[in-house]
Amino acid sequence: MESNVQYDRWGRMKYHPDYHENHRKPWDKEDDMYLCAMHGSMKIGDIALALGRTYRSAAQRLETLKRKRLYKRYRTIMSRM
């Protein structure tokens, strides 16, 4: 594995194929639920890395779920599991 990872000016990891294997792939419901459930207890960058996504895509997805009013629902579902 080549380790020439680059970071933006805020210290967030830029896209790297070895770490972001789900880049540009559609989000599934399980990923959405994990994102919502872990938000608040983990940093978005750590959640993104666990999901194989970039920081920016995870942050944007989180905002989309909140806008669609799915955030609380998915968070509640995961807390019951």
Side-chain angles (χ1 to χ4, degrees):
M1 181 184 316
E2 192 175 322
S3 182
N4 55 354
V5 176
Q6 296 178 346
Y7 297 89
D8 65 12
R9 66 181 180 190
W10 296 283
R12 300 178 304 203
M13 183 188 299
K14 291 184 177 183
Y15 169 74
H16 193 285
D18 292 338
Y19 298 104
H20 303 113
E21 63 273 1
N22 292 320
H23 185 65
R24 296 192 183 261
K25 291 182 182 174
W27 286 77
D28 61 22
K29 194 171 182 177
E30 289 180 11
D31 289 347
D32 287 341
M33 289 191 296
Y34 181 83
L35 176 64
C36 294
M38 294 296 115
H39 181 247
S41 62
M42 287 176 67
K43 296 178 183 178
I44 293 179
D46 295 335
I47 299 168
L49 199 55
L51 293 172
R53 309 280 183 168
T54 61
Y55 178 96
R56 185 173 177 184
S57 68
Q60 286 177 336
R61 186 62 178 180
L62 190 62
E63 290 304 314
T64 298
L65 293 172
K66 286 180 179 181
R67 196 170 43 252
K68 290 182 175 183
R69 302 179 192 268
L70 294 171
Y71 175 80
K72 288 182 182 178
R73 181 184 305 166
Y74 287 163
R75 193 168 168 88
T76 303
I77 291 169
M78 285 298 285
S79 68
R80 292 180 184 168
M81 296 180 128

